[in-house]
Amino acid sequence: MGSGGPPIAEYDQERQGLLVLQEAAREALASQGQEPVAPDQELVKTLEIAHNASLQALGAHEANLEARRHKRDILVKLESKAKEGQDKVLFIKSLSDLANGDDPRLKGISFERYVLGTILDEVILAANIRLAHMSRKRYSLERAALGQVSGRGKQGLDIMVFDAYTGQSRPAGTLSGGESFLASMALALGMADIIQAYAGGIHMDAIFIDEGFGTLDPDTLDVAMDTLVDLQGSGRLIGIISHVPELKTRIPAHLEVRPEDEGSSAAFRIS
């Protein structure tokens, strides 16, 4: 139990010795009472002192022993509680590793990125329907496999582009400006479709596209505008924010904002 005193076994041995001494004292006193001669008072007094001392020592040892047993029980309970606490800490840490992607088996994919990756797969499927038309079936998007994209950051949400002309996949960042615009627009429209599907029948009636048309060549611009016109034909309001002059001739109704000395002015134009 520790170094504060003799072990319990030694107390038990000493207790037995005191009991033997006590019994011997009793027998001596009893034998003195059976003798016809007068008892030796000095001896009786000595034996009584020894008897009382043995009782006191025995009581002290038993109290000490009981105190040590009580401390032992407390230590056993504390050890059990410490084990329970340690098990809880390990369980919480395993949940934290699972949620944050720190478990080596998860390869850095957190729970949040796993859920987002599942939704991204659906968005990519919806986006590819439009991107196939806009790229004349050359490009399709796909989620990058683990380790496919270089870098030490979080993985699981990187997008690759499959090029039907080369038969290979490459990072989306290798697309040209016009191609990136078409891919981005396809993803935006695909996300709108998925959000609308998840929203339980709620329709997204308006879509606004901010800039990007200035990077398109005439042919790509035609494809992008045809896609937007098709969306408009399905009942959606399409808004384009752009400074490209050619769009003015393609869009019959537009809100024109002009800078002036005292600020800016805005007016609707219908051609």
Side-chain angles (χ1 to χ4, degrees), residues 163-190:
D163 190 340
Y165 288 7
T166 63
Q168 296 180 349
S169 297
R170 52 192 172 96
T174 61
L175 292 174
S176 66
E179 293 169 341
S180 296
F181 175 81
L182 294 180
S184 299
M185 188 169 70
L187 280 172
L189 297 176

Short mmCIF file of all heavy atoms in Angstrom, two decimals, residues 163-190:
data_model
loop_
_atom_site.label_atom_id
_atom_site.label_comp_id
_atom_site.label_asym_id
_atom_site.label_seq_id
_atom_site.Cartn_x
_atom_site.Cartn_y
_atom_site.Cartn_z
N ASP A 163 -10.55 15.35 -70.81
CA ASP A 163 -10.50 15.89 -72.17
C ASP A 163 -10.66 14.73 -73.15
O ASP A 163 -9.80 13.86 -73.25
CB ASP A 163 -9.16 16.60 -72.40
CG ASP A 163 -9.14 17.39 -73.70
OD1 ASP A 163 -9.97 17.11 -74.58
OD2 ASP A 163 -8.28 18.29 -73.83
N ALA A 164 -11.78 14.72 -73.87
CA ALA A 164 -12.05 13.63 -74.81
C ALA A 164 -11.06 13.65 -75.98
O ALA A 164 -10.85 12.61 -76.62
CB ALA A 164 -13.48 13.71 -75.32
N TYR A 165 -10.44 14.80 -76.26
CA TYR A 165 -9.48 14.86 -77.37
C TYR A 165 -8.20 14.11 -77.03
O TYR A 165 -7.59 13.50 -77.92
CB TYR A 165 -9.15 16.32 -77.69
CG TYR A 165 -10.27 17.08 -78.39
CD1 TYR A 165 -11.52 16.51 -78.56
CD2 TYR A 165 -10.05 18.37 -78.85
CE1 TYR A 165 -12.54 17.21 -79.18
CE2 TYR A 165 -11.08 19.09 -79.48
CZ TYR A 165 -12.33 18.49 -79.64
OH TYR A 165 -13.33 19.19 -80.27
N THR A 166 -7.78 14.16 -75.79
CA THR A 166 -6.54 13.48 -75.38
C THR A 166 -6.81 12.16 -74.66
O THR A 166 -5.90 11.35 -74.51
CB THR A 166 -5.71 14.39 -74.46
OG1 THR A 166 -6.46 14.64 -73.25
CG2 THR A 166 -5.41 15.71 -75.14
N GLY A 167 -8.03 11.97 -74.19
CA GLY A 167 -8.35 10.75 -73.45
C GLY A 167 -7.76 10.74 -72.05
O GLY A 167 -7.65 9.67 -71.44
N GLN A 168 -7.40 11.90 -71.53
CA GLN A 168 -6.78 11.98 -70.20
C GLN A 168 -7.46 13.06 -69.36
O GLN A 168 -8.09 13.98 -69.89
CB GLN A 168 -5.28 12.30 -70.32
CG GLN A 168 -4.47 11.21 -71.02
CD GLN A 168 -2.99 11.56 -71.11
OE1 GLN A 168 -2.60 12.70 -70.85
NE2 GLN A 168 -2.18 10.59 -71.48
N SER A 169 -7.29 12.93 -68.05
CA SER A 169 -7.82 13.92 -67.12
C SER A 169 -6.69 14.86 -66.69
O SER A 169 -5.53 14.45 -66.59
CB SER A 169 -8.40 13.23 -65.88
OG SER A 169 -9.50 12.41 -66.23
N ARG A 170 -7.04 16.11 -66.46
CA ARG A 170 -6.06 17.09 -66.02
C ARG A 170 -6.73 18.06 -65.05
O ARG A 170 -7.97 18.16 -65.02
CB ARG A 170 -5.47 17.84 -67.21
CG ARG A 170 -6.47 18.46 -68.18
CD ARG A 170 -5.77 18.90 -69.45
NE ARG A 170 -6.67 19.34 -70.51
CZ ARG A 170 -7.01 20.59 -70.76
NH1 ARG A 170 -6.53 21.56 -69.98
NH2 ARG A 170 -7.82 20.90 -71.76
N PRO A 171 -5.93 18.77 -64.26
CA PRO A 171 -6.53 19.72 -63.30
C PRO A 171 -7.38 20.77 -63.99
O PRO A 171 -7.07 21.20 -65.10
CB PRO A 171 -5.31 20.34 -62.59
CG PRO A 171 -4.22 19.33 -62.76
CD PRO A 171 -4.46 18.69 -64.09
N ALA A 172 -8.43 21.20 -63.30
CA ALA A 172 -9.33 22.20 -63.88
C ALA A 172 -8.61 23.52 -64.10
O ALA A 172 -9.01 24.31 -64.96
CB ALA A 172 -10.53 22.41 -62.96
N GLY A 173 -7.53 23.76 -63.37
CA GLY A 173 -6.79 25.00 -63.53
C GLY A 173 -6.06 25.12 -64.84
O GLY A 173 -5.58 26.22 -65.19
N THR A 174 -5.96 24.04 -65.61
CA THR A 174 -5.27 24.08 -66.90
C THR A 174 -6.19 24.54 -68.03
O THR A 174 -5.72 24.70 -69.16
CB THR A 174 -4.70 22.70 -67.25
OG1 THR A 174 -5.77 21.75 -67.33
CG2 THR A 174 -3.70 22.24 -66.18
N LEU A 175 -7.47 24.75 -67.75
CA LEU A 175 -8.39 25.23 -68.78
C LEU A 175 -8.08 26.68 -69.13
O LEU A 175 -7.59 27.45 -68.30
CB LEU A 175 -9.84 25.11 -68.30
CG LEU A 175 -10.39 23.69 -68.11
CD1 LEU A 175 -11.77 23.76 -67.49
CD2 LEU A 175 -10.41 22.92 -69.42
N SER A 176 -8.38 27.05 -70.34
CA SER A 176 -8.21 28.45 -70.75
C SER A 176 -9.27 29.31 -70.09
O SER A 176 -10.19 28.80 -69.44
CB SER A 176 -8.31 28.56 -72.27
OG SER A 176 -9.62 28.23 -72.71
N GLY A 177 -9.16 30.63 -70.26
CA GLY A 177 -10.12 31.53 -69.64
C GLY A 177 -11.54 31.27 -70.07
O GLY A 177 -12.46 31.19 -69.24
N GLY A 178 -11.76 31.12 -71.39
CA GLY A 178 -13.10 30.85 -71.88
C GLY A 178 -13.62 29.50 -71.43
O GLY A 178 -14.79 29.35 -71.06
N GLU A 179 -12.74 28.49 -71.45
CA GLU A 179 -13.15 27.16 -71.02
C GLU A 179 -13.47 27.14 -69.53
O GLU A 179 -14.42 26.47 -69.10
CB GLU A 179 -12.03 26.16 -71.34
CG GLU A 179 -11.81 25.95 -72.84
CD GLU A 179 -10.54 25.18 -73.13
OE1 GLU A 179 -9.65 25.13 -72.24
OE2 GLU A 179 -10.41 24.63 -74.24
N SER A 180 -12.68 27.86 -68.75
CA SER A 180 -12.96 27.94 -67.31
C SER A 180 -14.31 28.59 -67.05
O SER A 180 -15.05 28.18 -66.13
CB SER A 180 -11.86 28.73 -66.60
OG SER A 180 -10.62 28.07 -66.70
N PHE A 181 -14.64 29.60 -67.85
CA PHE A 181 -15.93 30.27 -67.69
C PHE A 181 -17.07 29.30 -67.97
O PHE A 181 -18.05 29.24 -67.22
CB PHE A 181 -16.02 31.47 -68.63
CG PHE A 181 -17.37 32.14 -68.60
CD1 PHE A 181 -17.68 33.04 -67.59
CD2 PHE A 181 -18.32 31.87 -69.58
CE1 PHE A 181 -18.93 33.66 -67.55
CE2 PHE A 181 -19.55 32.49 -69.55
CZ PHE A 181 -19.85 33.38 -68.53
N LEU A 182 -16.95 28.53 -69.05
CA LEU A 182 -18.00 27.56 -69.37
C LEU A 182 -18.12 26.50 -68.28
O LEU A 182 -19.24 26.11 -67.90
CB LEU A 182 -17.71 26.91 -70.73
CG LEU A 182 -17.76 27.83 -71.95
CD1 LEU A 182 -17.45 27.03 -73.22
CD2 LEU A 182 -19.12 28.52 -72.07
N ALA A 183 -16.98 26.01 -67.78
CA ALA A 183 -17.01 25.00 -66.72
C ALA A 183 -17.63 25.57 -65.45
O ALA A 183 -18.43 24.91 -64.77
CB ALA A 183 -15.60 24.48 -66.44
N SER A 184 -17.28 26.83 -65.13
CA SER A 184 -17.84 27.47 -63.94
C SER A 184 -19.34 27.68 -64.08
O SER A 184 -20.11 27.47 -63.13
CB SER A 184 -17.14 28.81 -63.69
OG SER A 184 -15.75 28.63 -63.46
N MET A 185 -19.76 28.09 -65.27
CA MET A 185 -21.19 28.30 -65.48
C MET A 185 -21.94 26.98 -65.41
O MET A 185 -23.05 26.91 -64.84
CB MET A 185 -21.43 28.98 -66.83
CG MET A 185 -22.89 29.39 -67.02
SD MET A 185 -23.16 30.47 -68.46
CE MET A 185 -22.88 29.31 -69.80
N ALA A 186 -21.34 25.92 -65.95
CA ALA A 186 -21.98 24.61 -65.87
C ALA A 186 -22.11 24.16 -64.42
O ALA A 186 -23.15 23.62 -64.01
CB ALA A 186 -21.17 23.59 -66.67
N LEU A 187 -21.06 24.39 -63.61
CA LEU A 187 -21.13 24.03 -62.19
C LEU A 187 -22.18 24.85 -61.46
O LEU A 187 -22.93 24.32 -60.62
CB LEU A 187 -19.76 24.23 -61.53
CG LEU A 187 -18.72 23.13 -61.75
CD1 LEU A 187 -17.37 23.57 -61.21
CD2 LEU A 187 -19.17 21.84 -61.08
N ALA A 188 -22.25 26.15 -61.78
CA ALA A 188 -23.24 27.00 -61.12
C ALA A 188 -24.66 26.55 -61.44
O ALA A 188 -25.52 26.46 -60.56
CB ALA A 188 -23.03 28.46 -61.54
N LEU A 189 -24.89 26.23 -62.72
CA LEU A 189 -26.23 25.76 -63.11
C LEU A 189 -26.53 24.39 -62.52
O LEU A 189 -27.66 24.10 -62.11
CB LEU A 189 -26.33 25.74 -64.64
CG LEU A 189 -26.18 27.10 -65.33
CD1 LEU A 189 -26.20 26.94 -66.84
CD2 LEU A 189 -27.28 28.06 -64.88
N GLY A 190 -25.52 23.53 -62.48
CA GLY A 190 -25.71 22.22 -61.87
C GLY A 190 -26.01 22.33 -60.39
O GLY A 190 -26.86 21.61 -59.85
#
